[in-house]
Amino acid sequence: MYLYKVVYKVGLTGNIGSGKSTVARVFKTLGVPVFFADYEARQCYYIPDVKQQVIKAFGPEAYTAKGNLNAPFIAQIVFSDACRLQHLNEIIHPALKIRFDNWMQKNEKRNFRYVVMEAAILFESGLSEMVDAAVCVHASQKQRMKRVMRRDGMTTADIQKRMDSQWPDQRIIELSDYCIHNKDRKMILSEILHLHNLFMEKS
């Protein structure tokens, strides 16, 4: 594993519908490199060794006839069974950490002051051990439910299953170094800018 030491690394997390991806895009607009762990994790499913492990664990139905990931099939299984969700994470996360290592090597050469890793399960996955500070984005369950229904068209029952599979908000807040409260658009921009200036000083 590549040992990076120069660039200050910020982990950005939050439960489904909290608005963490929106916050990540604001950091990116400010010129900060952002590693979107959820997106990168989806790419890991196509690594030959990982694909073999997924098929072994979930069967050939885990991929379509064209070789694409059958995400609805996987989601239906893992968000109803905590043990199988953990098994899936154990398959994906080692490959994800390697992708982050490679990404960090590239960005260290570009002399950025700090970088952000956006990850839905920053603490659960152990990815928090790879960053210097953790920021969580928090919103009420009612707000999160509305956002996900509007964004993904999921049923209330399916959203609740995903919420139930994640750690409680309070636990994530307690583990984080900073918390962004996603209630008001103007307020959240102010909080992000404050953290941006803080991280620029720390780097």
Side-chain angles (χ1 to χ4, degrees):
M1 182 177 288
Y2 175 68
L3 298 177
Y4 34 79
K5 297 180 180 179
V6 179
V7 180
Y8 194 78
K9 298 167 289 297
V10 177
L12 178 66
T13 192
N15 279 332
I16 185 170
S18 63
K20 69 182 178 302
S21 296
T22 299
V23 172
R25 286 193 290 271
V26 175
F27 276 113
K28 190 172 183 179
T29 300
L30 291 169
V32 181
V34 178
F35 180 85
F36 291 93
D38 296 346
Y39 168 80
E40 295 293 340
R42 288 194 291 274
Q43 309 315 305
C44 291
Y45 284 92
Y46 298 100
I47 299 171
D49 179 56
V50 172
K51 186 174 182 178
Q52 287 181 1
Q53 292 182 66
V54 172
I55 291 173
K56 183 178 179 181
F58 298 95
E61 299 88 351
Y63 293 84
T64 67
K66 293 184 178 180
N68 296 319
L69 178 69
N70 188 350
F73 173 79
I74 295 287
Q76 187 176 22
I77 295 172
V78 300
F79 291 118
S80 299
D81 188 328
C83 290
R84 300 196 77 179
L85 175 59
Q86 182 179 348
H87 187 196
L88 178 63
N89 288 337
E90 289 170 353
I91 294 171
I92 299 299
H93 290 157
L96 180 61
K97 289 178 179 179
I98 291 172
R99 290 180 79 90
F100 181 65
D101 280 337
N102 294 337
W103 183 84
M104 278 300 306
Q105 288 187 59
K106 294 177 183 177
N107 282 288
E108 278 203 338
K109 294 174 183 176
R110 297 167 68 186
N111 296 318
F112 287 105
R113 300 285 291 278
Y114 76 96
V115 300
V116 171
M117 176 203 285
E118 183 247 20
I121 52 174
L122 182 73
F123 297 108
E124 301 95 315
S125 64
L127 291 171
S128 57
E129 297 174 2
M130 305 178 77
V131 300
D132 300 300
V135 178
C136 72
V137 182
H138 175 261
S140 70
Q141 182 167 321
K142 184 178 180 180
Q143 287 176 311
R144 294 192 288 122
M145 185 73 75
K146 285 182 178 179
R147 286 174 187 155
V148 179
M149 289 180 70
R150 183 170 60 246
R151 182 189 68 197
D152 300 335
M154 294 169 60
T155 65
T156 302
D158 284 340
I159 297 170
Q160 192 61 55
K161 279 185 181 180
R162 298 205 178 193
M163 287 182 171
D164 292 343
S165 73
Q166 297 181 317
W167 283 6
D169 289 346
Q170 190 57 39
R171 185 176 182 185
I172 294 172
I173 291 171
E174 290 172 356
L175 288 170
S176 299
D177 300 289
Y178 309 95
C179 184
I180 294 174
H181 298 280
N182 191 4
K183 297 178 181 178
D184 177 84
R185 189 172 183 179
K186 290 183 180 179
M187 185 181 295
I188 196 173
L189 287 173
S190 175
E191 291 186 53
I192 295 169
L193 287 172
H194 170 72
L195 288 176
H196 173 64
N197 292 330
L198 183 66
F199 297 144
M200 289 292 283
E201 291 174 2
K202 285 180 175 290
S203 59

